[in-house]
Amino acid sequence: MSGSEPTTGKVGIFLCECGGEIAGPIDLDRLSRDLSALGPDVSVQTTPYWCSVLGRRRLRAAIEKEGLDAVVVAGCSERTHGTTMAEAAAQAGVNRNRTVLVNLLEHCAMVHPRKKTAATSKAARMVRIGVAKAMEAIPLEPVTTEVHGSAVVIGGGVAGLSAARALAARGIPVVLVEREPELGGILRDVNLLFPSYGDAARFAAEMSDRTVADERIDVRTSSTVVDVAGHAGEYVVTVETGGVTEDVRAGSIVLATGADVFVPLGLFGYGSNEKVVTQIEFESVLREGLDDARRIVMIQCVGSRIAERPYCSRVCCTATVKNTITVLESVPDAEITVLTRGFAEYVGDLDRARESGVAFLRYDPERPPRVEDDAVRVFDVISSEEVAIPYDLVVLATPLVARADTAELARKLGLPVDDQGFVAEPHTKLRPSTYAPHGVFVAGSAHWPATVTECQSQAFSAASRVAELLGRGTIEREPMIAAVDELTCRGCGECVEACAHDAPRLVEGEDGIKISRIDALRCVGCGVCIRVCPSSAITLQQFTPRQLLDIIGAAAEA
Amino acid sequence: MAKCPTKVADSFNVGLGERKAIYLYFDQGIPSVMTIDEDNCRYFATGKCKVCEKMCKKGAVDFEQKDHRVSLDVGAIILATGLSVMDPTPLTQYGYGRIPNVITGLEYERLINATGPTGGHLLRPSDGELAHRVGFVQCAGSRDLNHCDYCSSVCCMYSIKDAMLGREHDPESVSHIFHTDLRNVGKWFQRYQIRGEEEYGIKFVRGRIAEIQHGPADNPVLWYEDTRTREVASLEVDLVVLATAALPSLDAKELAGTLGVKVDRYGFVLTDDATPSSTNVKGIYACGFCKGPCDIPESVAQASAAASSASTRVLGNK
Ligand SMILES: Cc1cc2nc3c(=O)[nH]c(=O)nc-3n(C[C@H](O)[C@H](O)[C@H](O)COP(=O)(O)OP(=O)(O)OC[C@H]3O[C@@H](n4cnc5c(N)ncnc54)[C@H](O)[C@@H]3O)c2cc1C
Ligand SMILES: Cc1cc2nc3c(=O)[nH]c(=O)nc-3n(C[C@H](O)[C@H](O)[C@H](O)COP(=O)(O)OP(=O)(O)OC[C@H]3O[C@@H](n4cnc5c(N)ncnc54)[C@H](O)[C@@H]3O)c2cc1C
Ligand code: SF4
Ligand code: SF4
């Protein structure tokens, strides 16, 4: 266990009026009296706003004058003011981990606005819990690391290329790792690009050429990442090219491995009927020039928006609408019918396609279309009729699906993936573009099916976050982490298996036996490993068992 | 603020509540500083009052302050002027303004918000009673050739969110969402919709509302054709929420004109495929809703992208 044993000493309780927000619903005078009775090692004081400049000055003065070892600020939330208050207390010598916030505002005053007596008793109990937590807290120091000034980008599709170029433009050296012999990703197989109807492959080729020509970008094609060690600021990425491996150091990593286009084997005759192709194959057909196929039936949502894959892949409807317009521009007498389940994705050119003569029919997923030898038969929901549409070609719009090996790679990076295999962020709405490991960012369809413009926005966004991180020189993190007691650990590796962030790794200890060691900069402090460890060798530094027992004791006390 | 004698409609709460002539924009507004509304302040109108000046112990109230113009010399500009919502009054079939219990999505957001004018209770405008039966009308003005022929992109999801919040605040709440094509394409949006249906009892009805009538007890009555069953049906509810089209901000075109930035026919700033943050004017970038409908995560990604492009330029690498 790291850190010394807690020094139970003097604790200061700082009650905050929060203007009148707390002082109104809670009787702070009574609270103060009750808490003072806790003992001689406890001092209590009240101020309108502890978070104000004046309040913090008073806090520091009180710590120094009374020689406090721990601080409990009973005011608002840890999330909004935890750092501010801990920093103020630290300036006067109280360890950051020994400053505890008790959220009287949101957890008591605001929820019990009209029950002063009960609210005051509850507040007293809450503060006593805070005191227990603070008194038993291990003094911890922030974990710091030097930052290596370069970046690795994994995947050379439009997202990876954009990220690499944006980083290089800021003077950051980049190693770009692409598995295929060529850069460009999916776009190499796309004909025209919506919304501009420019040449997609040329767009990808130009971008690739500029990337290769940029001397700040070291492009490694036909290469894969076999391992990622280290943490934000100093990663070691093992890159394999033609059987040869090399360790590349980097301060930060951008994952841009894209997605696969789903192959609908066995659906709607795909694989057995040669007149059935996928939309991405149709892109190549269009590039070559449509031969004599005139009657084209397109089927949407093939393999998407179903129980197994409950999502809309967005780009397939875009591709379909774009391709109907592309066909009709060159072959105005083509007859195109699109069978949809309703457009979840809205495509700006839908009306243009309709005006050009494309027929849109709606099918019911319970009664899907049948591709027979002579015609596609479908029950049209709008007219409530079964219709037969003769065809020369059937085009299936299949979704983007997560690449199987991205999940494995994500694991090495300490990035969780969701049940569909897309990379998951801690909160899609509140913390977009932010990921659990501090040095890893994600762009493009590896995160979720994305259009080219979205891939680029995300790539630029990732690049600006990488640049911000690398620009810091050193990084510091709160030590809210798990640590292994090396004497108790038996090296079974259960924690290594359990951790979604790849923080624990088995290493050889001093006497040659295997033990687990947790990388403090990878650990997010979730505690999953503690539960699986059969030897109880792991402790969460900011919540030791003793602390928890004391907290429970304080909570249970009458 | 408490002593100010003048009460006016609160624009932050889209006119649903009242505020004083000296006020804080909203509880979490930044900067958190009081402002005097010159148009409504008694002192500015009559030369008398100054109650607030007397009350303020810090002497912070200054009636002499004037607006002033500043010129800034900058290397880059980022446009992030966002959206405004369409006024649904011209959509006469929905009766907004005529039927008291027909409100907009933005108004609903304020009512259901704990810091809003009703403390988070869904009290309907006509009688202040709790609304249990709510009808959400999607595409009010959107995907409509006569108004906005594009999809506003965010309303389907916010209506689902709002219906879920309604149920969380009131277990008896039942929401019907009348939609065109339900737009649920973002990350895990479909799963969110399924949760809305299964856990929050939201009823999704595919069909456009033909008309809203003023029913008994000020209850709106929705008339629609259910496109699944092809039958004309009606539903009486306590409250109707119009998911009104989202437009560029009101002065977007004017601002674009001043800057020489190209906008599309709706007034959204144009950027091109290859450089999604850059406008046609060198050094001017754009992000968020002013470029076209997008939700918060996408706005945030675009914002970082614009910041990245702008800083690269300002730092002189380009
Ligand atoms: C039929 C179709 C038509 C489309 N049409 C349009 C359109 O008109 N407009 C539009 O905006 N969008 C369109 N899209 C969507 C768009 O093409 C993609 O979403 C976009 O190209 C994804 O870019 P990306 O960089 O995220 O991924 P990708 O293009 O998939 O690139 C990822 C790259 O990473 C590499 N890689 C993967 N795993 C590894 C690994 N482990 N190690 C190293 N390298 C790895 C891959 O080889 C690939 O080169 C279309 C998509 C389809 C399927
Ligand atoms: C009712 C409703 C509910 C929604 N709910 C959700 C939701 O739950 N989740 C979600 O992801 N998205 C939601 N959205 C969408 C979300 O509001 C937008 O994605 C987001 O606000 C866009 O951010 P923005 O910064 O581009 O624009 P805005 O938020 O509109 O900000 C633009 C800012 O620019 C200012 N401004 C405008 N013009 C000028 C000018 N000329 N000079 C100076 N300043 C100017 C405005 O005052 C404003 O402060 C909702 C939208 C609506 C209408
Ligand atoms: S607490 Fe354990 S499981 Fe969680 S991140 Fe740390 S090492 Fe991994
Ligand atoms: S998001 Fe939904 S409600 Fe809004 S315009 Fe699009 S389809 Fe209509």
Side-chain angles (χ1 to χ4, degrees):
Chain A
M1 214 178 292
S2 74
S4 53
E5 281 300 298
T7 48
T8 33
K10 272 199 98 171
V11 56
I13 300 173
F14 298 85
L15 302 178
C16 191
E17 294 173 4
C18 193
E21 301 278 348
I22 295 176
I26 297 173
D27 181 348
L28 288 183
D29 289 338
R30 205 195 98 201
L31 182 63
S32 171
R33 259 180 278 121
D34 289 359
L35 293 168
S36 301
L38 283 177
D41 287 342
V42 176
S43 80
V44 188
Q45 38 219 307
T46 311
T47 275
Y49 292 105
W50 285 112
C51 62
S52 67
V53 176
L54 194 67
R56 280 178 280 161
R57 203 181 294 150
R58 278 201 195 146
L59 177 99
R60 286 194 298 265
I63 294 170
E64 276 158 14
K65 184 164 150 253
E66 299 183 30
L68 301 177
D69 305 295
V71 164
V72 175
V73 182
C76 59
S77 88
E78 180 75 48
R79 187 160 256 188
T80 57
H81 285 76
T83 310
T84 318
M85 299 317 297
E87 272 169 8
Q91 284 166 3
V94 172
N95 184 274
R96 304 170 68 85
N97 198 39
R98 308 200 82 204
T99 293
V100 169
L101 264 73
V102 174
N103 191 348
L104 287 190
L105 179 67
E106 285 158 348
H107 296 171
C108 191
M110 283 167 87
V111 278
H112 312 294
R114 278 177 287 273
K115 292 185 182 147
K116 204 161 188 164
T117 316
T120 307
S121 318
K122 173 173 164 182
R125 196 182 294 249
M126 286 171 68
V127 177
R128 286 203 304 270
I129 293 173
V131 170
K133 186 177 171 197
M135 299 254 257
E136 283 298 329
I138 310 176
L140 298 173
E141 292 308 324
V143 193
T144 56
T145 187
E146 295 284 315
V147 175
H148 194 272
S150 66
V152 165
V153 175
I154 311 174
V158 61
L161 291 168
S162 306
R165 295 200 53 228
L167 287 166
R170 289 165 159 246
I172 295 169
V174 180
V175 176
L176 175 64
V177 185
E178 167 58 55
R179 182 170 48 199
E180 300 294 319
E182 271 182 77
L183 298 171
I186 297 181
L187 279 194
R188 282 185 298 137
D189 298 325
V190 174
N191 178 34
L192 302 183
L193 202 58
F194 183 84
S196 65
Y197 291 84
D199 184 331
R202 190 189 304 149
F203 173 77
E206 280 174 8
M207 208 167 189
S208 308
D209 290 347
R210 284 203 212 109
T211 307
V212 173
D214 194 321
E215 58 199 19
R216 289 162 299 194
I217 307 175
D218 174 0
V219 178
R220 311 276 180 96
T221 44
S222 305
S223 302
T224 51
V225 167
V226 289
D227 195 21
V228 182
H231 45 244
E234 43 182 12
Y235 285 106
V236 181
V237 181
T238 310
V239 178
E240 187 187 306
T241 315
V244 185
T245 58
E246 188 196 333
D247 283 347
V248 177
R249 291 185 64 203
S252 184
I253 299 173
V254 177
L255 180 79
T257 50
D260 277 327
V261 185
F262 176 65
V263 181
L265 272 183
L267 296 175
F268 302 105
Y270 185 85
S272 54
N273 180 342
E274 61 186 30
K275 291 199 279 183
V276 179
V277 298
T278 59
Q279 197 62 254
I280 190 82
E281 290 163 346
F282 189 58
E283 296 270 356
S284 305
V285 172
L286 290 175
R287 177 166 288 280
E288 307 286 302
L290 194 64
D291 44 24
D292 44 9
R294 287 295 171 270
R295 297 169 305 171
I296 303 169
V297 179
M298 298 191 180
I299 306 178
Q300 298 308 106
C301 303
V302 175
S304 53
R305 297 168 75 193
I306 54 174
E308 190 189 339
R309 247 174 252 107
Y311 65 91
C312 158
S313 149
R314 320 193 56 171
V315 296
C316 11
C317 277
T318 307
T320 295
V321 172
K322 168 190 74 178
N323 288 341
T324 61
I325 290 174
T326 310
V327 169
L328 290 171
E329 297 256 288
S330 58
V331 191
D333 62 338
E335 290 167 26
I336 310 178
T337 312
V338 180
L339 310 181
T340 79
R341 283 174 53 188
F343 287 94
E345 172 65 332
Y346 177 86
V347 188
D349 273 353
L350 199 56
D351 292 328
R352 194 172 146 204
R354 270 201 188 103
E355 281 156 23
S356 314
V358 180
F360 290 91
L361 299 186
R362 204 159 64 232
Y363 75 85
D364 177 352
E366 308 279 303
R367 300 170 74 171
R370 285 164 289 131
V371 178
E372 293 171 359
D373 285 343
D374 60 327
V376 177
R377 292 201 160 67
V378 63
F379 178 79
D380 174 23
V381 178
I382 305 280
S383 65
S384 302
E385 272 170 22
E386 169 100 4
V387 283
I389 314 154
Y391 65 90
D392 302 319
L393 197 63
V394 172
V395 183
L396 307 179
T398 59
L400 289 176
V401 291
R403 295 187 198 269
D405 59 347
T406 291
E408 203 184 311
L409 185 58
R411 192 186 155 95
K412 290 182 188 133
L413 289 165
L415 270 175
V417 296
D418 63 30
D419 62 357
Q420 293 291 323
F422 291 107
V423 174
E425 58 270 69
H427 200 294
T428 49
K429 286 282 175 189
L430 299 180
R431 291 171 64 198
S433 316
T434 309
Y435 295 86
H438 296 258
V440 180
F441 301 92
V442 184
S445 293
H447 163 261
W448 191 253
T451 63
V452 169
T453 19
E454 281 170 345
C455 288
Q456 288 177 290
S457 292
Q458 291 170 7
F460 291 161
S461 163
S464 82
R465 281 160 205 247
V466 169
E468 195 261 328
L469 182 82
L470 301 192
R472 278 194 247 162
T474 56
I475 45 178
E476 195 171 277
R477 269 197 60 206
E478 295 287 318
M480 300 303 174
I481 49 169
V484 180
D485 177 6
E486 301 191 347
L487 293 175
T488 324
C489 174
R490 60 164 102 148
C492 66
E494 290 286 341
C495 54
V496 180
E497 279 303 305
C499 179
H501 305 281
D502 207 16
R505 290 209 170 187
L506 290 182
V507 294
E508 296 230 330
E510 275 162 26
D511 36 11
I513 25 176
K514 279 211 157 124
I515 49 158
S516 165
R517 197 165 280 162
I518 290 175
D519 184 331
L521 282 141
R522 279 190 170 225
C523 176
V524 301
C526 68
V528 165
C529 52
I530 296 171
R531 203 174 53 86
V532 300
C533 176
S535 333
S536 304
I538 311 179
T539 315
L540 216 48
Q541 298 299 287
Q542 77 280 26
F543 269 120
T544 64
R546 206 160 120 190
Q547 224 179 339
L548 286 170
L549 285 174
D550 275 15
I551 288 174
I552 296 168
E557 221 173 88
Chain B
M1 177 167 73
K3 297 279 179 206
C4 173
T6 314
K7 282 187 184 166
V8 288
D10 182 355
S11 58
F12 180 74
N13 280 326
V14 284
L16 290 173
E18 283 183 332
R19 63 159 169 78
K20 298 299 183 68
I22 180 167
Y23 68 107
L24 208 54
Y25 180 48
F26 71 104
D27 287 352
Q28 285 98 12
I30 296 171
S32 183
V33 176
M34 293 285 182
T35 297
I36 295 178
D37 171 0
E38 250 183 79
D39 296 336
N40 289 302
C41 167
R42 187 170 291 187
Y43 172 73
F44 281 102
T46 65
K48 286 204 190 83
C49 183
K50 288 202 177 182
V51 164
C52 49
E53 192 184 65
K54 287 175 207 118
M55 293 305 297
C56 179
K57 290 183 202 133
K58 305 264 176 195
V61 178
D62 174 5
F63 285 94
E64 301 306 312
Q65 257 180 24
K66 287 272 172 298
D67 288 355
H68 44 187
R69 275 173 189 251
V70 287
S71 293
L72 302 173
D73 188 8
V74 296
I77 298 175
I78 298 178
L79 292 176
T81 51
L83 66 124
S84 59
V85 288
M86 179 185 170
D87 170 12
T89 316
L91 306 165
T92 47
Q93 71 273 31
Y94 299 142
Y96 181 80
R98 183 163 45 81
I99 308 172
N101 294 324
V102 175
I103 64 172
T104 67
L106 204 58
E107 288 166 345
Y108 185 100
E109 292 270 344
R110 297 314 307 147
L111 291 180
I112 204 76
N113 192 296
T115 66
T118 56
H121 302 293
L122 197 58
L123 308 182
R124 54 186 213 156
S126 71
D127 50 12
E129 289 292 317
L130 199 59
H132 299 298
R133 300 170 301 167
V134 183
F136 287 87
V137 176
Q138 296 310 109
C139 307
S142 299
R143 303 176 80 151
D144 177 342
L145 287 177
N146 301 321
H147 298 280
C148 301
D149 56 13
Y150 58 88
C151 162
S152 300
S153 306
V154 292
C155 3
C156 281
M157 292 313 292
Y158 80 59
S159 292
I160 298 176
K161 169 197 74 178
D162 285 338
M164 283 163 83
L165 286 172
R167 173 61 78 91
E168 273 174 11
H169 291 210
D170 165 20
E172 281 170 46
S173 146
V174 179
S175 295
H176 282 77
I177 297 185
F178 295 88
H179 59 89
T180 316
D181 281 323
L182 199 77
R183 178 154 179 171
N184 57 359
V185 298
K187 190 162 187 170
W188 288 132
F189 285 6
Q190 183 169 347
R191 192 161 278 180
Y192 192 77
Q193 177 208 336
I194 295 171
R195 224 177 91 209
E197 197 161 356
E198 291 176 353
E199 293 173 28
Y200 292 80
I202 303 174
K203 309 255 185 305
F204 290 93
V205 186
R206 183 190 195 97
R208 263 192 118 120
I209 297 296
E211 195 189 356
I212 301 175
Q213 289 177 349
H214 200 156
D218 282 336
N219 289 342
V221 181
L222 299 145
W223 285 92
Y224 62 101
E225 182 193 34
D226 186 331
T227 50
R228 277 179 223 270
T229 60
R230 312 214 59 81
E231 271 163 22
V232 175
S234 71
L235 182 76
E236 182 180 325
V237 292
D238 302 328
L239 186 71
V240 163
V241 184
L242 302 177
T244 42
L247 318 170
S249 74
L250 297 175
D251 56 357
K253 278 193 180 158
E254 192 190 324
L255 183 63
T258 313
L259 297 170
V261 168
K262 284 200 187 120
V263 293
D264 67 12
R265 63 199 164 101
Y266 313 109
F268 291 120
V269 176
L270 282 170
T271 53
D272 85 273
D273 286 4
T275 47
S277 315
S278 311
T279 66
N280 59 308
V281 183
K282 259 208 161 67
I284 303 187
Y285 304 90
C287 59
F289 217 109
C290 70
K291 279 177 39 159
C294 59
D295 65 355
I296 293 170
E298 209 181 319
S299 303
V300 173
Q302 290 183 11
S304 302
S308 159
S309 305
S311 62
T312 306
R313 181 185 162 85
V314 172
L315 297 174
N317 281 317
K318 217 178 194 172

